Amino acid sequence: MRSGMSNEYRRLVRLAGYATMSLVSLMILTKIWAWVSSGSAAMLGSLTDSLLDISASLMSFMILGYALRPADDDHRFGHGKAEALAGLGQAAFIAGSACLLAFHAFERGLNPVAIKHSQTAIIVSLFAIVCTLALVAVQYYVVKHTKSIAIKADSVHYKGDILLNLAVLAAIILSDMGYMIADPIFAALVSCYLLYNGFEIAKESADHLMDKELPDDEKEAILRIATEHEQVFGVHDLRTRQSGKMKFIQLHLELPKDLPLWHAHQIAVEVMRAIEAAFPDEMDVLIHQDPVSAEHTVAANE
């Protein structure tokens, strides 16, 4: 465990959480004002989506607080899987938002309504787009440096909100021009986008909960690093998984059978440090040393 990296992970994840709660709260207040002023159903749909988003973000923020706790006597592998649970919760909220938006689009398609005080709604939509772009930029930076599933899921919300606010903006403008059908069409397209991304987030979260192996390129890199050591004959039984920010690696090193125990241990430590140094992520590497003869290794390779 690299304590410096762990502290940086916590700092970045909390930064994303505070930025989300602050900016979304501000957007909700302005959307309430715009809806009351204009009576726009499109703006009401955007407001409802933001209320769902902040509820999901709050849930995610609370779960992340638990996931970031260090390992303890009852959870020796840490609490990282709680982050995948937050991702599943986010996916459920994304799907719920998408279904609500699709229903709203269908109802508006059957009963088109002209929008009042459209200028107010346009100004608020533009303000919401600027705030959401700033929030997505912060989340992109955090995800890039932490690979947090929960923050990534939250970011999908707000990328969808950019499209939603653009759709509301376009719908208001087109409605003023007499094309009231634009409102439900844009809303339906955004709901499809949200459903697709919600499915992707749910799939990735489920992979973490089910201890899916790390990507093939990472496993190949681990094997290459281990076998580069001059006294390692081979590697077998490589097993990997990820839990939150932590990646767990287990492998067996094939070492000369006549090595003293202290020397075999030293080689395992050198391989472990080489693997940890090659990856930016936090890792828990467990290595078992198997004594083999050089003749056995040659025969196995043949």
Side-chain angles (χ1 to χ4, degrees), residues 141-167:
Y141 176 82
V142 173
V143 171
K144 182 179 178 181
H145 288 81
T146 66
K147 296 182 175 62
S148 168
I149 295 178
I151 302 300
K152 182 178 180 181
D154 217 25
S155 183
V156 171
H157 267 164
Y158 299 108
K159 288 177 183 176
D161 277 359
I162 293 174
L163 293 179
L164 177 59
N165 287 309
L166 286 172

Side-chain angles (χ1 to χ4, degrees), residues 156-212:
V156 171
H157 267 164
Y158 299 108
K159 288 177 183 176
D161 277 359
I162 293 174
L163 293 179
L164 177 59
N165 287 309
L166 286 172
V168 170
L169 187 61
I172 293 170
I173 294 173
L174 290 173
S175 179
D176 278 351
M177 297 171 61
Y179 300 102
M180 289 186 292
I181 194 63
D183 185 5
I185 290 176
F186 278 106
L189 291 174
V190 173
S191 70
C192 292
Y193 170 83
L194 289 174
L195 277 174
Y196 171 78
N197 283 282
F199 172 78
E200 290 296 313
I201 292 297
K203 181 176 179 296
E204 184 174 353
S205 298
D207 285 343
H208 279 245
L209 288 172
M210 297 301 294
D211 290 335
K212 183 179 179 180

Side-chain angles (χ1 to χ4, degrees), residues 204-257:
E204 184 174 353
S205 298
D207 285 343
H208 279 245
L209 288 172
M210 297 301 294
D211 290 335
K212 183 179 179 180
E213 290 280 326
L214 296 179
D216 289 341
D217 59 334
E218 294 188 17
K219 289 164 58 178
E220 290 171 2
I222 292 169
L223 290 173
R224 184 181 66 254
I225 293 168
T227 53
E228 281 177 350
H229 196 287
E230 59 182 8
Q231 290 189 282
V232 173
F233 290 154
V235 178
H236 63 272
D237 287 349
L238 172 65
R239 289 191 284 182
T240 64
R241 67 184 178 92
Q242 183 164 352
S243 178
K245 64 183 182 296
M246 181 70 71
K247 293 181 178 180
F248 293 89
I249 315 296
Q250 297 181 23
L251 55 87
H252 289 234
L253 287 183
E254 298 173 4
L255 302 174
K257 65 179 183 179

Side-chain angles (χ1 to χ4, degrees), residues 9 13 63-64 67-68 79-88 146-151 205 243-245:
Y9 185 95
V13 167
I63 294 177
L64 273 173
L68 290 173
H79 303 79
K81 284 194 175 183
E83 190 169 331
L85 291 175
L88 285 178
T146 66
K147 296 182 175 62
S148 168
I149 295 178
I151 302 300
S205 298
S243 178
K245 64 183 182 296

Side-chain angles (χ1 to χ4, degrees), residues 18-296:
Y18 291 136
T20 298
M21 302 307 294
S22 301
L23 288 173
V24 177
S25 296
L26 183 59
M27 285 189 283
I28 286 175
L29 291 175
T30 58
K31 287 180 181 181
I32 290 174
W33 170 61
W35 170 58
V36 171
S37 300
S38 68
S40 167
M43 183 57 66
L44 175 60
S46 180
L47 170 61
T48 302
D49 182 73
S50 292
L51 289 170
L52 284 171
D53 283 348
I54 199 169
S55 299
S57 296
L58 181 60
M59 178 193 70
S60 178
F61 191 56
M62 293 172 64
I63 294 177
L64 273 173
Y66 180 79
L68 290 173
R69 292 181 183 179
D72 54 34
D73 290 340
D74 293 326
H75 305 87
R76 300 301 297 272
F77 291 98
H79 303 79
K81 284 194 175 183
E83 190 169 331
L85 291 175
L88 285 178
Q90 289 278 37
F93 271 99
I94 291 171
S97 298
C99 291
L100 181 64
L101 187 57
F103 177 80
H104 176 73
F106 179 74
E107 188 276 333
R108 179 48 58 90
L110 294 178
N111 303 292
V113 177
I115 297 173
K116 301 179 297 180
H117 303 290
S118 58
Q119 186 175 4
T120 299
I122 289 173
I123 292 173
V124 169
S125 294
L126 289 171
F127 175 75
I129 289 170
V130 172
C131 288
T132 309
L133 284 170
L135 177 55
V136 168
V138 171
Q139 291 175 329
Y140 174 81
Y141 176 82
V142 173
V143 171
K144 182 179 178 181
H145 288 81
T146 66
K147 296 182 175 62
S148 168
I149 295 178
I151 302 300
K152 182 178 180 181
D154 217 25
S155 183
V156 171
H157 267 164
Y158 299 108
K159 288 177 183 176
D161 277 359
I162 293 174
L163 293 179
L164 177 59
N165 287 309
L166 286 172
V168 170
L169 187 61
I172 293 170
I173 294 173
L174 290 173
S175 179
D176 278 351
M177 297 171 61
Y179 300 102
M180 289 186 292
I181 194 63
D183 185 5
I185 290 176
F186 278 106
L189 291 174
V190 173
S191 70
C192 292
Y193 170 83
L194 289 174
L195 277 174
Y196 171 78
N197 283 282
F199 172 78
E200 290 296 313
I201 292 297
K203 181 176 179 296
E204 184 174 353
S205 298
D207 285 343
H208 279 245
L209 288 172
M210 297 301 294
D211 290 335
K212 183 179 179 180
E213 290 280 326
L214 296 179
D216 289 341
D217 59 334
E218 294 188 17
K219 289 164 58 178
E220 290 171 2
I222 292 169
L223 290 173
R224 184 181 66 254
I225 293 168
T227 53
E228 281 177 350
H229 196 287
E230 59 182 8
Q231 290 189 282
V232 173
F233 290 154
V235 178
H236 63 272
D237 287 349
L238 172 65
R239 289 191 284 182
T240 64
R241 67 184 178 92
Q242 183 164 352
S243 178
K245 64 183 182 296
M246 181 70 71
K247 293 181 178 180
F248 293 89
I249 315 296
Q250 297 181 23
L251 55 87
H252 289 234
L253 287 183
E254 298 173 4
L255 302 174
K257 65 179 183 179
D258 55 351
L259 281 180
L261 177 59
W262 68 268
H263 197 178
H265 173 74
Q266 182 181 12
I267 294 171
V269 170
E270 291 172 357
V271 171
M272 178 189 70
R273 288 175 177 168
I275 293 173
E276 290 177 343
F279 292 88
D281 311 285
E282 292 188 28
M283 286 192 163
D284 187 315
V285 183
L286 179 62
I287 297 178
H288 178 78
Q289 301 96 32
D290 285 343
V292 298
S293 64
E295 294 79 7
H296 172 79

